[in-house]
Amino acid sequence: MNKKHGKQSIVFASPPQVAAAATIVGPMEGEGLLAAYYDKILEDNSGDQDSWEKCESYMIEWAMSTAVKKSGLTLEDVDYILAGDLLNQLMATHFAIRSLGRPFLGLYGACSTMAESLIVGAILLDGGFGGHVLAGVSSHHDAAERQYRFPTELGVQRPPVTQWTVTGAGAVLLKAMAGNDPRVTTATIGKVVDVGLKDPNAMGPAMAPAAAETLWQHIQDTGRQPAYYDLIVTGDLGVVGKTLLIQVMQEKGLDISANYQDCGCMIYREEQDSHAGASGCASSAVVLCSHLIPQMKAGKLNKLLFIGTGSLHSTTSYQQKESIPCIAHAVSLEM
Amino acid sequence: MPQAGGAGDDRYFNKWYEAQYNQVKPKPPLVKNMLWAFVVGGLICVIGQVFANYFVDMGLSKKEAGVPTTIVMVFLGAFFTGLGVYDELGRRAGAGSVVPITGFANSVVAPAMEFKREGFVFGVAAKMFVIAGPVIVYGVTTAVLVGLIYWIRH
């Protein structure tokens, strides 16, 4: 049976379900809009570890073990771990998974990795290759700053279009067994889209066309209109990228403004001075795991389209004056 | 109707999109930023002047007083970077705290602190000049060129 629909989408035959989800965040996120929903808030940015990178590893490990614990299973029941982060060679993920001791596939989709890992995990489960998949991502503001931008103590002024990398991690435990939990019903795998923007400070605007492309293709492939969903969320387009996505969809003749939100605009308060919102792998992950999935389980949200957005540049590529290639993957969760 | 070009090769869409982006791109609060830069930059210079006057009172000539003043200001820049204050200042004051010599000290101390975990050789020492390095290279080069012109003309 062919589960592929249209050009880029998958409709799962026996939709895998979300057994449990867990989140951990840094102190700044812990003072933000979703403060009440996170499982754990660190007291400082180091989490009692001696480097930012170790702190990030600790967070992803904590989120993954907690998701497993919440579902009442043990790590032994997990058939595969799918995870990734923003650091070179997936440093945070690899050191975290080392101690979890389960079969592991590392994924890199920059900030789209949460959606990517959910899609690959759902494919594995729907294909009958296992019973449980653990999918998770992490990012750390200071670890990302020192890799992509400047040392954290350098006195620089950030342009207003920049976004603030989220310190945090989120993990989802997917199961193949049927139950009364949110189901992963469809997915649309994105293509790399590059509209030629070069400013690494403006990642939301660079990623919005990729999100538009994937959303458009999802609608074509599945025949669902934007109004089909209670909520469409993108990962980390930020204030500016969000406005641009609405404009691009409007040009295509689709109005999404009624039921569209961006995770990057749901984390920080205005006075926290994050500028254009949140970004990073954890931006979409902590909103999905702490807020959206629990809302679905509580029956307040029935049909969700989750679009992870990633900007695939590197420090080398922007120093060589290349433009920013971007990607977006969509996955629908339904009760 | 513009299409989001698959491989990003749709020039019409890209142009339209860039125009949209430039329209919604947030502008920096120029007046506020300039005010901050003026006040903070000015204050740093006032502090420098206080020390310069002090060294003149101690019996140094105006020209000689420049050296100990610079030393004190570099120390203060490094010290407040270490306390984690200078980046907060720079976030608001921009060029007001980057241009004075305290900003130069900040640009050396910040990477040195950040890369301490990579060790004293490949971390602190190697990374210390990643930001200040270009300033030193082009500063010295310009000084040599100007010196050469001066030497030829006299």
Side-chain angles (χ1 to χ4, degrees):
Chain A
M1 186 176 104
N2 194 355
K3 296 169 191 170
K4 194 179 164 193
H5 277 238
K7 286 185 179 159
Q8 290 167 237
S9 299
I10 296 164
V11 176
F12 294 106
S14 35
Q17 300 200 335
V18 176
T23 47
I24 176 170
V25 293
M28 182 168 160
E29 292 70 24
E31 288 167 7
L33 295 167
L34 298 177
Y37 304 112
Y38 302 123
D39 292 313
K40 184 172 177 175
I41 297 168
L42 294 176
E43 274 174 29
D44 62 44
N45 256 0
S46 69
D48 279 336
Q49 308 291 315
D50 38 63
S51 71
W52 312 129
E53 291 80 5
K54 276 190 180 174
C55 174
E56 192 176 335
S57 284
Y58 164 75
M59 290 192 297
I60 185 67
E61 192 191 331
W62 191 92
M64 291 202 151
S65 337
T66 306
V68 173
K69 235 179 262 166
K70 275 187 179 180
S71 68
L73 299 168
T74 64
L75 268 173
E76 289 301 306
D77 299 310
V78 175
D79 297 302
Y80 310 96
I81 292 179
L82 306 171
D85 62 87
L86 286 175
L87 302 181
N88 292 338
Q89 287 80 41
L90 302 187
M91 178 178 173
T93 304
H94 290 154
F95 282 78
I97 307 301
R98 185 173 63 178
S99 55
L100 294 178
R102 299 309 299 157
F104 161 73
L105 292 169
L107 301 174
Y108 187 81
C111 311
S112 72
T113 311
M114 188 71 240
E116 186 183 8
S117 62
L118 283 176
I119 294 171
V120 178
I123 291 172
L124 283 171
L125 294 179
D126 188 34
F129 297 102
H132 294 95
V133 170
L134 200 47
V137 298
S138 62
S139 56
H140 190 294
H141 175 78
D142 299 295
E145 282 297 307
R146 85 199 290 256
Q147 177 180 308
Y148 283 97
R149 294 177 196 97
F150 296 115
T152 47
E153 294 299 334
L154 191 72
V156 285
Q157 200 164 41
R158 301 163 62 237
V161 70
T162 49
Q163 293 162 251
W164 190 271
T165 309
V166 172
T167 299
V172 172
L173 184 71
L174 291 175
K175 60 177 180 183
M177 293 174 301
N180 244 343
D181 291 309
R183 296 170 300 135
V184 183
T185 49
T186 68
T188 302
I189 298 175
K191 295 188 281 192
V192 174
V193 173
D194 186 340
V195 292
L197 296 186
K198 291 185 174 178
D199 180 5
N201 287 316
M203 290 188 291
M207 294 188 294
E213 167 97 14
T214 299
L215 178 55
W216 177 255
Q217 198 58 51
H218 179 79
I219 291 164
Q220 305 303 310
D221 289 349
T222 60
R224 295 173 174 180
Q225 287 303 305
Y228 174 86
Y229 292 103
D230 299 326
L231 184 65
I232 298 172
V233 287
T234 46
D236 59 345
L237 295 185
V239 181
V240 187
K242 183 184 163 191
T243 311
L244 285 165
L245 177 60
I246 293 173
Q247 287 179 358
V248 174
M249 294 314 288
Q250 216 147 35
E251 279 296 311
K252 288 170 174 290
L254 288 170
D255 183 16
I256 56 166
S257 58
N259 57 342
Y260 164 60
Q261 259 297 337
D262 179 65
C263 298
C265 304
M266 298 164 78
I267 296 176
Y268 300 119
R269 294 175 197 279
E270 184 72 33
E271 64 271 19
Q272 285 184 297
D273 206 18
S274 69
H275 292 21
S279 68
C281 295
S283 171
S284 62
V286 299
V287 174
L288 179 76
C289 299
S290 75
H291 185 51
L292 301 176
I293 287 176
Q295 279 222 314
M296 294 189 82
K297 290 198 176 197
K300 289 179 191 152
L301 189 64
N302 288 316
K303 292 180 166 62
L304 170 73
L305 186 66
F306 176 74
I307 306 174
T309 43
S311 103
L312 305 172
H313 69 297
S314 71
T315 47
T316 309
S317 77
Y318 80 69
Q319 280 169 356
Q320 293 180 352
K321 313 274 188 294
E322 299 292 339
S323 54
I324 303 176
C326 296
I327 197 154
H329 303 298
V331 53
S332 68
L333 293 167
E334 296 176 66
M335 277 309 283
Chain B
M1 183 168 65
Q3 299 279 318
D9 53 1
D10 191 328
R11 296 215 180 120
Y12 174 67
F13 173 80
N14 292 0
K15 241 185 164 164
W16 173 85
Y17 185 74
E18 208 182 335
Q20 293 297 110
Y21 168 50
N22 286 328
Q23 257 178 34
V24 296
K25 190 179 177 178
K27 309 273 175 296
L30 270 185
V31 176
K32 189 179 146 208
N33 284 352
M34 285 194 295
L35 204 71
W36 263 99
F38 179 79
V39 171
V40 172
L43 272 177
I44 294 174
C45 294
V46 167
I47 296 168
Q49 192 60 50
V50 167
F51 281 106
N53 289 354
Y54 171 75
F55 289 121
V56 170
D57 286 349
M58 297 275 286
L60 295 178
S61 74
K62 246 186 176 173
K63 209 174 170 187
E64 289 167 335
V67 178
T69 306
T70 307
I71 293 172
V72 170
M73 294 312 282
V74 166
F75 167 77
L76 288 178
F79 183 68
F80 284 106
T81 303
L83 290 183
V85 175
Y86 211 87
D87 60 322
E88 291 294 323
L89 197 64
R91 207 160 64 97
R92 295 179 181 86
S97 61
V98 171
V99 175
I101 200 157
T102 46
F104 189 73
N106 171 251
S107 75
V108 175
V109 176
M113 282 168 66
E114 185 71 68
F115 291 92
K116 191 170 158 261
R117 289 179 198 110
E118 279 79 357
F120 282 99
V121 176
F122 293 108
V124 174
K127 299 280 190 185
M128 192 182 274
F129 295 104
V130 284
I131 315 252
V135 182
I136 297 171
V137 169
Y138 293 113
V140 169
T141 310
T142 313
V144 168
L145 284 176
V146 172
L148 259 175
I149 293 166
Y150 184 82
W151 181 69
I152 290 164
R153 291 196 50 173
H154 288 76

